[in-house]
Amino acid sequence: MLGLVLLLAGSFAAGSLAGKLTSSNPDAQKTSAVLALASDWGLSFPEEGKPPVTNATVEELKQYDTYYMEDTQEKKIYLTFDCGYESGNTEMILDALKKHNAPATFFVVGHFLKSEPTLIQRMVDEGHIVGNHTWSHPDMTKISTLDAFSRELSQVEELYKETTDKDMVKFYRPPQGKYSEENLKMAQELGYKTFFWSLAYVDWQQDQQPSKEEAFDKLLGRIHPGSIVLLHNTSSTNGQIMDELLQKWEDMGYTFHSLEELVSQTT
C-alpha cells in the first residue's frame, strides 16, 4: 500500500470532488461531480504499478479536451516538464532525453521563454513540444473572463513565435494544478488541450531536494501504463538522475511517447 498523496505542481493541496449530486440529468450529474467547484488536481496511489485515483476519470475529462493519462495496458510513458526558470539542470535533462530518444513536452512560463531562448530552440530542434504554462503562473481559477484568460496564454504564444519562428502547439498545463470547469471550457474555446498528470513527486523545493533513492522510490514504484509524468526542470535531483531513471523505466519494459500521439488517438 503506497498510501495517499495529493500532489500539485509546486504545492500540496487536497483535491476534492464537488458535493452530492442534485440533478436528475446524467450529464449534469457528471459535470457536478467532477468540476462544479474550483479545485486542485489530486492523486492517490493505492496500489503499486497501477493508475492513481484522481479527481476525475479519463472519460469525464475528455469532453473538455483534457488529459491526465492514457487508459491503456501498454507500458507507455508521456514525459512532461514544468519550466518556471533555469537553474542549470535543463541541459542535463535534454542530454538524457536525446540519449534515450525520449520525446517530452516542456510547459514553459513567460520568464523561462524570455531568459532561455537558446534552450527553447534546442527543445524544438530535438523534436520536443514546448507547451503553455501561462505568462505569469497565476491561479487561473481566479480569472473569470475569457479575455484575461486568453492574455495569459497569448503572451506566451507570441514570444514563442518570435523566438522560434513557429506557432506554438496548443497544449496547456494549469499552474499548480488549479482548475475549474470554466477554466477547462475557456482553454478548449481557445483551441487548447489541457494536461494534468498521473505521476509526480515533490521535486520543486530547492532547499529540500529529494535524494536519488527517494526519487527512484516514487518514480519507479508509482509508474504505470499510460502515465503522464510531471517533473520540474528546476530540480537538481532530476538533472542528476534523468539518464539512469530513463534506463530503469526502459528496463521495466516502458517506452516513451509524445503527447501528440495521445491526442491523436482520442480525436
Side-chain angles (χ1 to χ4, degrees), residues 52-267:
V53 176
T54 60
N55 299 37
T57 69
V58 170
E59 286 300 315
E60 287 167 335
L61 290 172
K62 187 181 296 185
Q63 64 186 309
Y64 305 101
D65 291 327
T66 297
Y67 308 82
Y68 74 92
M69 60 167 279
E70 180 184 356
D71 185 7
T72 181
Q73 296 302 310
E74 295 184 55
K75 288 189 169 182
K76 294 181 178 181
I77 294 174
Y78 299 93
L79 292 168
T80 70
F81 296 85
D82 284 3
C83 302
Y85 59 92
E86 176 55 23
S87 56
N89 304 299
T90 307
E91 286 195 357
M92 289 187 288
I93 290 169
L94 286 167
D95 289 346
L97 294 172
K98 185 175 183 179
K99 177 179 176 180
H100 292 267
N101 195 29
T105 299
F106 292 86
F107 289 98
V108 302
V109 300
H111 175 78
F112 190 88
L113 259 175
K114 287 192 293 185
S115 63
E116 302 298 334
T118 301
L119 285 175
I120 293 291
Q121 191 62 57
R122 179 179 173 186
M123 291 169 186
V124 173
D125 292 344
E126 295 184 358
H128 303 297
I129 297 168
V130 177
N132 202 322
H133 200 35
T134 73
W135 184 255
S136 61
H137 204 264
D139 177 351
M140 296 292 275
T141 66
K142 299 186 184 304
I143 295 179
S144 59
T145 68
L146 183 62
D147 283 347
F149 191 96
S150 177
R151 281 196 298 274
E152 276 291 332
L153 300 179
S154 63
Q155 290 179 93
V156 176
E157 293 173 21
E158 291 163 6
L159 184 54
Y160 178 82
K161 177 78 170 181
E162 291 176 18
T163 303
T164 67
D165 200 31
K166 295 179 183 295
D167 292 327
M168 179 169 249
V169 177
K170 291 203 168 186
F171 288 179
Y172 161 63
R173 171 162 285 156
Q176 303 177 63
K178 292 183 179 295
Y179 70 95
S180 67
E181 180 187 8
E182 287 306 308
N183 280 172
L184 300 185
K185 286 180 177 178
M186 285 191 281
Q188 187 178 45
E189 186 172 344
L190 294 168
Y192 273 87
K193 313 293 186 186
T194 299
F195 294 91
F196 295 112
W197 56 91
S198 62
L199 175 58
Y201 79 121
V202 183
D203 62 349
W204 57 82
Q205 297 174 346
Q206 293 305 297
D207 57 347
Q208 298 181 48
Q209 278 292 286
S211 68
K212 172 181 173 179
E213 292 72 24
E214 289 169 334
F216 283 154
D217 179 60
K218 300 293 191 300
L219 296 172
L220 301 180
R222 292 173 176 162
I223 198 67
H224 58 87
S227 299
I228 295 180
V229 179
L230 162 62
L231 300 169
H232 286 81
N233 73 311
T234 54
S235 167
S236 57
T237 298
N238 289 342
Q240 292 160 12
I241 70 169
M242 192 55 52
D243 182 17
E244 188 176 356
L245 174 64
L246 298 181
Q247 185 61 59
K248 286 180 179 294
W249 275 333
E250 288 176 321
D251 292 345
M252 295 169 69
Y254 281 91
T255 55
F256 306 110
H257 299 262
S258 169
L259 288 181
E260 287 185 322
E261 178 184 324
L262 172 58
V263 168
S264 69
Q265 292 170 351
T266 57
T267 55

